[in-house]
Amino acid sequence: MKTDVLECLKYTINTYNNNMKSNFLKILVDEGVAFKKKSQVSLFEEGKVEIDEADINNTIISCLKKSSKVMMIFEKFNLQRSYKYAVLFSTIVTDTIIKTVESIPLLDEDYSFAISKNINSPVRISCDDKDMLLFNKVYDGYDTKDGKHISLKFPVVVVIDRKKGVVEIRFDTIKKIFTVVERENTVYMKLIAEVRKYLDENLGITLLSLDLTKIIDIAADDSREEVKMSRQQMNFKNGSRADFRTSDNGDYSLPYISELKSIINNYEEELDKCPNIKRELNRLVSVREKTSEYPIIEVDFVGKPVNHVKFTFDYYNTGYCMLNFYSHKDLIGMERMDDVTEFIKENIL
């Protein structure tokens, strides 16, 4: 393994949280690459890397240095783990596009990671009607403590649903030390644009923005149990703004609008005696809901645990919606993202 690649991997592993490291180590144990320390080493542990609980980072690096097969396992882990951000697009998948996608190398035991500052040379895993592409973009920076040069291996995953014609781009947070003076949103916009350009020029996949604002009405529907609105930004027609959040006690009633609706419902008989007041209250609620803009909402996909997602519509005037997945120690696999994507496909598109 080249020195620059090794140093890049060392820093990258160091940025992973403990849950990610533990999950990857479990995979390495299941794959027979590593083993947990025992009172007596068995012959079956020969050639495996012993897990040093006091130095997990170095244990993982020792495993990655063993063979290209371990790097393949590592990249499969990166393809199938959860990420912080996601953007969904629509496209038209033709037979020509499918053939072009299938020409991308499959992730196999001969895989080797190479330093690249651009979005190029993806690898692929495919199953049924879905293709998952992994790009590795390397960001350079300098450690704020000692000024040493550092490199970050930054995976970007593209999920192509051939049947539904939906393409999803997934990626994580980029630390400020790698963005220098650029604002965070600018970096993400450039990254997404770079991925879109590669897909268009190399695979013939043109991405079109999706209107996901229907999730606002779905999440606000009290009869829906699987999704609940937990935050709602509103830009009113008169220029004023409001940012409503639900409480943390499991009550998903948003302040103001929900409270006003509740008052109207609870005192319906009394208000029937004052039709003008009832009409004006209903008109106020209707006007506020129908004429307001909702730049940001946060939705709880109810389960154990709750999957909390922020939707930023028309992200910085790009036309697409940015999904922000909030971290949870029990939600580390790609299933949390897959579940939200499938919900969108079934209920919005």
Side-chain angles (χ1 to χ4, degrees):
M1 187 177 292
K2 294 181 179 179
T3 303
D4 58 345
V5 171
L6 181 60
E7 292 302 316
C8 180
L9 290 173
K10 283 181 179 179
Y11 179 81
T12 301
I13 295 298
N14 190 54
T15 65
Y16 288 2
N17 61 41
N18 291 333
N19 287 326
M20 281 182 59
K21 293 175 188 176
S22 297
N23 193 49
F24 181 54
L25 275 179
K26 183 179 182 301
I27 293 173
L28 292 178
V29 171
D30 292 342
E31 291 286 342
V33 177
F35 72 96
K36 294 182 178 180
K37 188 175 182 179
K38 301 175 183 177
S39 57
Q40 184 176 357
V41 178
S42 164
L43 290 175
F44 295 105
E45 267 75 57
E46 286 186 6
K48 299 181 183 180
V49 176
E50 181 181 317
I51 297 174
D52 183 354
E53 297 291 347
D55 192 356
I56 296 298
N57 291 351
N58 194 51
T59 298
I60 293 176
I61 290 298
S62 296
C63 292
L64 293 178
K65 289 165 63 176
K66 282 183 65 66
S67 67
S68 57
K69 177 185 176 181
V70 184
M71 277 300 301
M72 177 196 72
I73 297 170
F74 179 56
E75 295 297 50
K76 188 175 181 181
F77 169 77
N78 280 311
L79 271 164
Q80 297 178 334
R81 68 178 174 88
S82 180
Y83 285 88
K84 179 73 172 175
Y85 300 105
V87 182
L88 276 68
F89 297 93
S90 67
T91 192
I92 298 175
V93 181
T94 64
D95 290 341
T96 301
I97 288 175
I98 291 173
K99 289 181 180 179
T100 306
V101 170
E102 289 178 345
S103 70
I104 295 173
L106 286 167
L107 179 61
D108 57 25
E109 294 187 9
D110 294 325
Y111 175 82
S112 62
F113 165 62
I115 298 288
S116 176
K117 296 181 181 180
N118 301 311
I119 290 293
N120 55 27
S121 305
V123 288
R124 163 181 67 95
I125 59 174
S126 299
C127 183
D128 298 327
D129 292 318
K130 288 185 180 179
D131 303 287
M132 297 185 71
L133 312 182
L134 175 68
F135 297 85
N136 280 308
K137 182 179 175 68
V138 173
Y139 284 94
D140 291 321
Y142 292 91
D143 194 312
T144 54
K145 294 180 180 178
D146 54 21
K148 289 180 61 177
H149 175 267
I150 51 177
S151 296
L152 174 71
K153 175 183 178 294
F154 190 81
V156 179
V157 174
V158 173
V159 185
I160 303 169
D161 186 328
R162 302 181 183 183
K163 191 173 183 180
K164 296 290 182 67
V166 174
V167 176
E168 183 176 1
I169 303 173
R170 300 173 175 178
F171 54 93
D172 264 332
T173 302
I174 303 174
K175 287 188 174 183
K176 290 183 179 179
I177 56 175
F178 296 106
T179 61
V180 196
V181 296
E182 285 189 288
R183 295 177 60 183
E184 185 177 61
N185 62 287
T186 303
V187 175
Y188 296 151
M189 288 159 61
K190 284 184 176 179
L191 176 67
I192 293 167
E194 191 177 355
V195 174
R196 294 180 75 171
K197 182 179 180 182
Y198 176 91
L199 295 177
D200 187 27
E201 294 182 352
N202 294 275
L203 305 181
I205 298 176
T206 301
L207 301 184
L208 304 174
S209 298
L210 287 171
D211 181 8
L212 302 186
T213 54
K214 188 179 176 182
I215 189 68
I216 299 171
D217 292 333
I218 294 175
D221 185 350
D222 292 334
S223 66
R224 304 288 295 246
E225 294 297 327
E226 71 273 41
V227 287
K228 295 292 183 180
M229 185 85 74
S230 61
R231 179 190 174 195
Q232 186 180 64
Q233 276 193 8
M234 299 178 71
N235 293 344
F236 299 116
K237 192 175 182 180
N238 62 7
S240 60
R241 300 178 181 181
D243 193 342
F244 303 117
R245 296 174 185 266
T246 60
S247 63
D248 295 327
N249 62 4
D251 180 7
Y252 284 100
S253 296
L254 286 164
Y256 182 62
I257 297 294
S258 294
E259 291 173 342
L260 195 53
K261 284 182 178 179
S262 180
I263 291 173
I264 294 172
N265 289 332
N266 291 340
Y267 295 94
E268 185 173 9
E269 292 184 8
E270 288 86 343
L271 288 171
D272 284 339
K273 299 174 184 177
C274 307
N276 290 337
I277 296 177
K278 183 179 181 180
R279 183 174 61 253
E280 285 303 306
L281 287 173
N282 283 322
R283 187 190 68 81
L284 177 62
V285 172
S286 177
V287 168
R288 285 289 186 263
E289 288 187 323
K290 292 180 180 179
T291 65
S292 299
E293 293 180 348
Y294 300 85
I296 294 176
I297 68 166
E298 293 182 17
V299 176
D300 281 355
F301 290 82
V302 181
K304 294 183 179 180
V306 169
N307 193 2
H308 188 81
V309 184
K310 179 169 78 172
F311 291 74
T312 303
F313 303 105
D314 193 17
Y315 182 74
Y316 289 93
N317 300 313
T318 57
Y320 52 75
C321 176
M322 177 78 87
L323 276 61
N324 183 334
F325 290 78
Y326 285 79
S327 61
H328 192 291
K329 64 181 180 66
D330 294 325
L331 294 170
I332 55 178
M334 68 177 182
E335 292 82 7
R336 64 180 298 201
M337 306 188 82
D338 287 349
D339 289 346
V340 173
T341 301
E342 289 306 313
F343 181 90
I344 290 172
K345 291 175 185 176
E346 293 173 9
N347 295 274
I348 296 178
L349 304 185

